[in-house]
Amino acid sequence: MYRYDEFDHDFVKARVADFSDQVERRLAGEITEDQFRPLRLMNGVYLQLHAYMLRIAVPYGTLSSKQMRMLGHIARKYDKGYGHFTTRQNIQFNWPALSDIPAILADLASVEMHAIQTSGNCIRNVTADHFAGAAADEVADPRPYAEILRQWSSVHPEFSYLPRKFKIAVTGAERDRAAIQTHDIGLHLKKNDKGELGFAVYIGGGQGRTPMVAKKIRDFLPEQHLLSYTTAILRVYNLHGRRDNKYKARIKILVHETGVDEIIRQVEHEWQALKDGELKLPEADVAAIQSYFAPPALTARPEGDEAVKLARLDSKSFGDWIDQNVFTHRNPDYAAVTISLKGIGEVPGDATDSQMDAVADIAETYGFDEIRVSHEQNLILPHVARADLKAVYDALVAIDLATANSNLISDIIACPGLDYCALANARSIPVAQEISKRFASLERQRDIGELKLKISGCINACGHHHVGHIGILGVEKKGAELYQVTLGGSADEHTSVGEIIGRGFGPDEITDAIETIVDTYLGIRLDRTEKFLDAYRRVGPAPFKEALYASEAKAA
Amino acid sequence: MKILTANRLTDGEAVWFAADGTWAETIDAAETVGDKADEARLEAIGKAAYDNNEVVDVNLIDVSLVDGAIQPLRLREVIRAAGPSNRHDLGKQARPAAGAA
């Protein structure tokens, strides 16, 4: 894992001191809310419905046990005993008092964490494949590059006041688990035919009120040019991105309105002036950062296959969990484990303080001290010996985190929605809970197969509804909640934006509608191997519309 | 009918302006007003409290009286007054006084 050097420590410490002083002056009435608001946002402090909310950065979703324990400590001491892991691999606390935030930030700094750039029109936390450094299908670990971007973008003077927020995601595998095509910049780390590392570069992806799939503007950018090329993109955006209209200020609109060819021309032109300058990454620097991410010493544990075989015989639920929540590791003696934060009827992404402590213990005992947060709002243990999987499973059962539903219909992404969020128009969490309960049977979920259901409580799309195989968007209509359904979205290497299927559904209708959609899929699929998304792409919306709306069309 | 609401500066707690001149932590205590003159008076009180760094995010919101109890018209304000609808153990709804009232 990356460890702070002296500069990082001093930088974060200085920021804590700055912000503590700002909070103190605000509470003393020496600065106004208008003056304070941008300062608190730069430090991850929002005002929501019930209280302030603190969003803490988890760079590229990577946490140590010590850091996870600190999050548990903060939940216990300053909040209400839980935290919410987000679709940007961060964590949010929903109830901190403003007066406690300096102390929280000081606690975070003691474990090399902070809340810097988790809000505001700057480069936000860089996200990455949650299986980075572990996945069998990976070309190289993308996190060193995410860390290089983090260092470069932290309080970058030129890019701290962009037209709008800016999100970068990195993956190191063909199979995109980081949703890079829904980001302002998406980077796919790959090798060319000479075996050199570089990136396919995508720009202009995004969700929100105008969803766009990113456009590939370069098939192979040699790794040493990562910062010069990113700078070139950001310069073009900073100069031409619209500042007159908040809703048209993201780079996706600039790319769309300017045209890809012209954007490429401008970026390349800018890059020519930068590429051989000081932003060119020296090999030694890249290697130095890479060394922080050196994989743990994975000793041979060949007894794993036999251990898993025996444990399966002993416990069907363990077998189900292995089949669903365990991912292939590049070392055949090891596995990457998804800890589902989607227990049936639970709040997607929430974990209690004691669960955080227990996950930290499990990671320490069995997982080389490493934990990841996935953008799908689960936790990951990236390196677990297969021989230890049963022990890990048993430990997760003890804390109610062993639900075997990874990638199934109850593995729902949901934003906090109107239960917490000041921007929301409708609730997300209760909808997720009810759908989860409706499909509680694991057997039924497994029969349905891979199905990514994503719910947002407003058009800002924090719940990624546009790219859900089934997406649900909550809106407010005539003072009541209404849920609009989209089908056919996807956030993988074949990213697509879902299509609205028809009129929306009330809170008491939406779960039935989802069940109708699922039943329709089960009726039309060619066989069990044809996934929901594939079936939808084959037949289109017609049978789903028919099933959802035919009776009312006839009635009319 | 309207009431004046805000969040307290120090801890973000949702509060409502009460007839006794304080910012109450429960909506039941809010002062309801029914005409433009009173609305303007509440707005002025809200602005003064904002300027005085007592509260932030000040808003006049629409309510009605249901069996004598203040009921916001928008769900957003109902949830602000109670707490998360999925966690009855959190927020104002979890406080003993809420049940007694």
Side-chain angles (χ1 to χ4, degrees):
Chain A
M1 259 185 82
Y2 184 71
R3 297 263 175 266
Y4 277 16
D5 61 16
E6 218 161 282
F7 174 83
D8 295 314
H9 276 295
D10 290 348
F11 166 66
V12 173
K13 219 169 129 188
R15 175 58 82 89
V16 173
D18 276 354
F19 189 57
S20 300
D21 178 58
Q22 289 157 353
V23 169
E24 202 174 302
R25 286 189 288 146
R26 176 72 187 115
L27 292 173
E30 291 167 15
I31 48 177
T32 67
E33 184 63 12
D34 287 345
Q35 291 167 327
F36 181 64
R37 193 171 172 274
L39 299 174
R40 72 166 156 79
L41 288 174
M42 279 177 197
N43 292 284
V45 182
Y46 287 73
L47 179 65
Q48 299 286 36
L49 295 184
H50 312 294
Y52 290 99
M53 179 268 277
L54 177 64
R55 181 182 294 153
I56 297 164
V58 180
Y60 30 89
T62 297
L63 286 171
S64 67
S65 295
K66 192 174 163 191
Q67 291 172 326
M68 182 63 101
R69 272 194 204 99
M70 181 55 80
L71 296 176
H73 164 79
I74 290 167
R76 202 161 35 241
K77 181 166 179 186
Y78 304 103
D79 212 83
K80 293 191 186 289
Y82 69 105
H84 178 73
F85 290 99
T86 78
T87 52
R88 299 220 70 255
Q89 299 182 307
N90 291 323
I91 184 168
Q92 296 178 175
F93 288 106
N94 291 311
W95 305 91
L98 181 60
S99 46
D100 281 338
I101 286 175
I104 297 174
L105 294 180
D107 282 354
L108 285 171
S110 74
V111 295
E112 307 185 355
M113 293 183 80
H114 59 72
I116 299 166
Q117 290 182 207
T118 60
S119 177
N121 294 336
C122 54
I123 299 169
R124 303 285 188 91
N125 186 32
V126 178
T127 53
D129 180 357
H130 45 265
F131 292 132
D137 61 353
E138 184 174 88
V139 167
D141 189 337
R143 292 174 303 156
Y145 303 95
E147 172 57 27
I148 289 168
L149 287 165
R150 185 193 70 80
Q151 294 191 9
W152 161 81
S153 65
S154 293
V155 293
H156 192 303
E158 189 179 342
F159 305 133
S160 290
Y161 296 92
L162 293 166
R164 197 78 178 84
K165 58 187 164 184
F166 203 91
K167 301 174 183 175
I168 304 177
V170 197
T171 180
E174 283 291 330
R175 181 96 171 84
D176 177 11
R177 291 173 290 262
I180 65 166
Q181 292 178 46
T182 67
H183 284 76
D184 295 290
I185 295 180
L187 298 168
H188 170 201
L189 180 63
K190 62 201 262 195
K191 279 187 177 159
N192 65 8
D193 47 16
K194 290 183 201 142
E196 297 158 337
L197 282 171
F199 302 92
V201 181
Y202 295 78
I203 66 167
Q207 299 192 59
R209 68 184 59 226
T210 317
M212 301 262 186
V213 177
K215 313 291 184 295
K216 195 201 274 192
I217 62 164
R218 217 165 213 279
D219 191 56
F220 191 83
L221 176 77
E223 60 167 345
Q224 66 267 31
H225 295 306
L226 173 66
L227 293 186
S228 58
Y229 201 77
T230 307
T231 299
I233 295 168
L234 273 144
R235 280 202 174 157
V236 169
Y237 169 56
N238 208 11
L239 188 60
H240 299 298
R242 290 182 59 171
R243 291 172 190 267
D244 61 318
N245 183 341
K246 183 180 170 184
Y247 302 121
K248 295 189 174 179
R250 296 288 290 269
I251 194 175
K252 64 189 172 187
I253 305 293
L254 179 68
V255 172
H256 181 72
E257 289 185 348
T258 311
V260 183
D261 292 343
E262 175 57 18
I263 283 286
I264 292 173
R265 192 194 67 72
Q266 291 177 12
V267 170
E268 293 286 328
H269 177 76
E270 197 66 51
W271 185 51
Q272 286 310 314
L274 291 167
K275 67 195 272 273
D276 298 314
E278 60 180 12
L279 287 171
K280 189 169 172 182
L281 289 170
E283 240 174 77
D285 286 12
V286 176
I289 298 288
Q290 277 167 338
S291 67
Y292 283 112
F293 294 88
L298 303 175
T299 51
R301 298 289 300 275
E303 74 277 22
D305 277 349
E306 189 62 18
V308 167
K309 207 166 97 185
L310 287 174
R312 264 182 191 278
L313 292 174
D314 201 38
S315 161
K316 182 180 177 302
S317 53
F318 172 68
D320 290 342
W321 180 79
I322 287 270
D323 291 341
Q324 211 59 51
N325 289 29
V326 171
F327 185 78
T328 311
H329 198 280
R330 58 186 163 71
N331 182 321
D333 290 350
Y334 287 79
V337 165
T338 296
I339 300 173
S340 172
L341 297 182
K342 318 289 178 66
I344 299 305
E346 300 291 341
V347 179
D350 276 13
T352 66
D353 58 338
S354 55
Q355 285 174 329
M356 291 184 219
D357 284 348
V359 168
D361 290 345
I362 295 168
E364 202 168 65
T365 310
Y366 302 107
F368 299 89
D369 223 11
E370 251 198 67
I371 303 153
R372 307 285 172 77
V373 182
S374 78
H375 83 272
E376 294 177 322
Q377 300 181 285
N378 292 312
L379 298 176
I380 309 290
L381 300 173
H383 314 288
V384 176
R386 289 174 58 78
D388 293 331
L389 284 172
K390 184 60 166 56
V392 167
Y393 172 75
D394 290 341
L396 291 173
V397 168
I399 53 169
D400 292 327
L401 290 182
T403 309
N405 61 350
S406 177
N407 293 318
L408 298 178
I409 189 170
S410 63
D411 187 4
I412 298 169
I413 288 183
C415 71
L418 192 55
D419 284 303
Y420 293 96
C421 178
L423 298 175
N425 300 119
R427 289 173 293 168
S428 306
I429 292 168
V431 175
Q433 289 174 306
E434 197 180 310
I435 293 170
S436 169
K437 285 182 200 157
R438 178 71 63 91
F439 291 91
S441 157
L442 186 60
E443 204 181 334
R444 185 179 181 199
Q445 291 190 51
R446 287 162 64 105
D447 178 42
I448 296 163
E450 183 185 276
L451 209 171
K452 293 182 185 276
L453 198 151
K454 308 183 195 237
I455 308 174
S456 306
C458 82
I459 192 63
N460 292 307
C462 296
H464 294 189
H465 66 277
H466 291 300
V467 291
H469 300 169
I470 298 176
I472 300 175
L473 165 65
V475 298
E476 184 179 356
K477 198 173 177 187
K478 293 179 189 160
E481 295 163 298
L482 190 76
Y483 295 93
Q484 216 168 57
V485 175
T486 52
L487 298 180
S490 171
D492 61 9
E493 61 281 13
H494 306 294
T495 292
S496 55
V497 173
E499 301 162 309
I500 296 172
I501 192 75
R503 70 149 180 93
F505 299 90
D508 50 349
E509 300 172 314
I510 182 66
T511 304
D512 288 340
I514 299 304
E515 194 164 31
T516 300
I517 290 164
V518 169
D519 287 344
T520 305
Y521 152 67
L522 293 175
I524 59 164
R525 71 179 173 188
L526 298 173
D527 56 47
R528 281 187 63 132
T529 64
E530 189 181 41
K531 296 173 184 171
F532 178 90
L533 184 62
D534 297 331
Y536 180 82
R537 284 177 174 165
R538 177 171 58 81
V539 303
F544 297 95
K545 279 189 179 176
E546 170 78 14
L548 286 168
Y549 304 115
S551 59
E552 60 194 61
K554 278 171 199 145
Chain B
M1 187 179 283
K2 290 186 193 291
I3 59 176
L4 183 67
T5 186
N7 290 76
R8 195 159 56 206
L9 170 67
T10 51
D11 58 4
E13 177 88 29
V15 288
W16 294 265
F17 186 73
D20 67 1
T22 63
W23 288 91
E25 289 191 12
T26 55
I27 195 169
D28 309 334
E31 177 188 357
T32 56
V33 296
D35 62 43
K36 292 285 169 204
D38 276 338
E39 283 175 22
R41 178 176 58 81
L42 283 191
E43 264 178 341
I45 289 169
K47 185 174 181 317
Y50 177 88
D51 290 344
N52 200 33
N53 304 309
E54 294 166 41
V55 294
V56 291
D57 202 14
V58 185
N59 287 297
L60 267 186
I61 59 161
D62 292 311
V63 296
S64 62
L65 286 181
V66 179
D67 298 331
I70 296 172
Q71 181 73 19
L73 299 193
R74 289 186 71 198
L75 178 61
R76 177 188 204 274
E77 295 301 327
V78 174
I79 291 174
R80 273 185 82 239
S85 70
N86 64 301
R87 286 285 303 262
H88 293 161
D89 60 325
L90 297 176
K92 298 168 194 300
Q93 61 200 347
R95 297 176 191 174

